[in-house]
Amino acid sequence: PGVTSGEGAVKTMVVEIVGTDLVDTYAATNTAPQAATIRRGSVIRRATLSVTTAFTSSGSATLDIGLWSKGLATEVVDDADGIDAAIAITAIDAIGDIINCDGALVAALVPVGRTADGDCVIAPSYNTAAFTAGRASLTIEYIEPAYSSSVAA
């Protein structure tokens, strides 16, 4: 995953999502040690999923993209589908498919880490059935807070 700075406090993060690596229910053990984080209190302006390898499944798989805390004594879910919920396999089954994510945390002025009370990582998961193939780039544009404290968020 990479994070670049944009205009002012705007940051852009790009995360690769691999269908065969996804789990049904995300947990702290699914977070790679090197996973990029979005600071607590950040606001997601937009998120776009771009398919680079068609997703397939032996069932009617759907994709959830949410956030999970990282770096806390007890890591917890922030919002399991806050970036996007139940993206149908038919929407991501061809190279070049683009999803403009519309979860509760996107363009809604709801701060990242509000529920988890900490910085967060991207937490994709599947529902209904596992994916047997698929790869996509998730681009998230967000604004970091000027400070991060329990009073601010």
Side-chain angles (χ1 to χ4, degrees), residues 57-105:
S57 174
S58 59
S60 298
T62 62
L63 174 64
D64 285 344
I65 307 171
L67 295 171
W68 190 272
S69 67
K70 181 179 179 192
L72 301 176
T74 302
E75 295 174 343
V76 296
V77 66
D78 189 52
D79 189 328
D81 55 13
I83 295 174
D84 211 325
I87 301 170
I89 193 165
T90 55
I92 54 176
D93 64 355
I95 295 172
D97 282 345
I98 304 287
I99 302 295
N100 292 313
C101 301
D102 60 0
L105 299 177

Side-chain angles (χ1 to χ4, degrees), residues 26-153:
Y26 199 89
T29 55
N30 301 116
T31 301
Q34 71 277 15
T37 60
I38 299 177
R39 281 184 49 201
R40 178 175 174 253
S42 297
V43 175
I44 298 173
R45 290 175 43 164
R46 74 177 54 94
T48 306
L49 185 71
S50 304
V51 176
T52 56
T53 301
F55 282 76
T56 60
S57 174
S58 59
S60 298
T62 62
L63 174 64
D64 285 344
I65 307 171
L67 295 171
W68 190 272
S69 67
K70 181 179 179 192
L72 301 176
T74 302
E75 295 174 343
V76 296
V77 66
D78 189 52
D79 189 328
D81 55 13
I83 295 174
D84 211 325
I87 301 170
I89 193 165
T90 55
I92 54 176
D93 64 355
I95 295 172
D97 282 345
I98 304 287
I99 302 295
N100 292 313
C101 301
D102 60 0
L105 299 177
V106 179
L109 299 179
V110 177
V112 168
R114 181 177 74 168
T115 302
D117 200 25
D119 297 343
C120 292
V121 296
I122 305 305
S125 60
Y126 69 81
N127 284 313
T128 312
F131 290 103
T132 54
R135 188 177 297 259
S137 292
L138 176 67
T139 303
I140 299 174
E141 186 178 289
Y142 61 99
I143 300 172
E144 285 192 335
Y147 55 89
S148 183
S149 74
S150 58
V151 175

